[in-house]
Amino acid sequence: MLAELSRLTFTHTSSRLAERVRWLTARLEEPTGTSDEGALPRGWAALSSAERQTAELAIRGLGNREIAEQLVVSRRTVEHRLSSTYKKLQITSRKELRASGRPTEEDMTDAV
C-alpha cells in the first residue's frame, strides 16, 4: 500500500494530496518508540510547510501585509493559510497562536 501511495505522489507531485501522502508515508516509516524531544507542539505536524511558515511569521508579530510581502504571496493567501492553521490547531486567534506556537531559532537566540 505504501508503495502504491508513493507511486501516486510522483504523478501528482505538486498537489496537496501528494504532500500529505509523503508526510504520512514518512510518519509510517518512522521507527516506533522515538523520543518526543524536539517534537512539534500538538497539531503542528498537521500543518503544511506553507501554513507553518505563515504561522511562524504571525507568531513573530508580523501583520498579514508584512507576511504576504515576505513570502511573496497575496494578503488573501495569508488569510487563508492562517484560517486553515487555526482550524487545524483548534484555535481562534493570533493570541492563541502565539500561546501555542513553537519557538523558532530566532526566539532561541533572543533568549540567550
Side-chain angles (χ1 to χ4, degrees):
M1 186 167 167
L2 288 176
E4 183 179 344
L5 289 173
S6 293
R7 182 184 55 76
L8 289 172
T9 62
F10 288 112
T11 59
H12 303 286
T13 56
S14 63
S15 73
R16 284 186 181 195
L17 176 60
E19 183 179 332
R20 182 72 175 157
V21 167
R22 282 191 293 272
W23 179 81
L24 287 170
T25 302
R27 292 274 316 234
L28 288 172
E29 292 173 347
E30 288 177 1
T32 56
T34 57
S35 169
D36 282 343
E37 192 174 313
L40 295 172
R42 185 181 141 264
W44 277 78
L47 301 179
S48 71
S49 59
E51 290 166 341
R52 204 171 299 127
Q53 267 186 317
T54 304
E56 287 174 352
L57 292 173
I59 288 170
R60 291 184 194 170
L62 275 67
N64 288 359
R65 184 181 55 76
E66 296 165 314
I67 294 170
E69 288 172 0
Q70 189 162 343
L71 297 177
V72 192
V73 297
S74 71
R75 271 194 251 174
R76 182 67 186 123
T77 298
V78 171
E79 292 168 5
H80 175 72
R81 288 178 183 174
L82 288 174
S83 176
S84 179
T85 298
Y86 294 168
K87 287 176 189 172
K88 289 179 181 179
L89 297 179
Q90 300 177 350
I91 59 175
T92 59
S93 68
R94 278 184 197 237
K95 185 176 180 179
E96 289 179 83
L97 180 64
R98 281 191 289 276
S100 71
R102 69 183 210 178
T104 61
E105 285 183 33
E106 187 175 298
D107 294 334
M108 298 303 274
T109 57
D110 288 346
V112 174

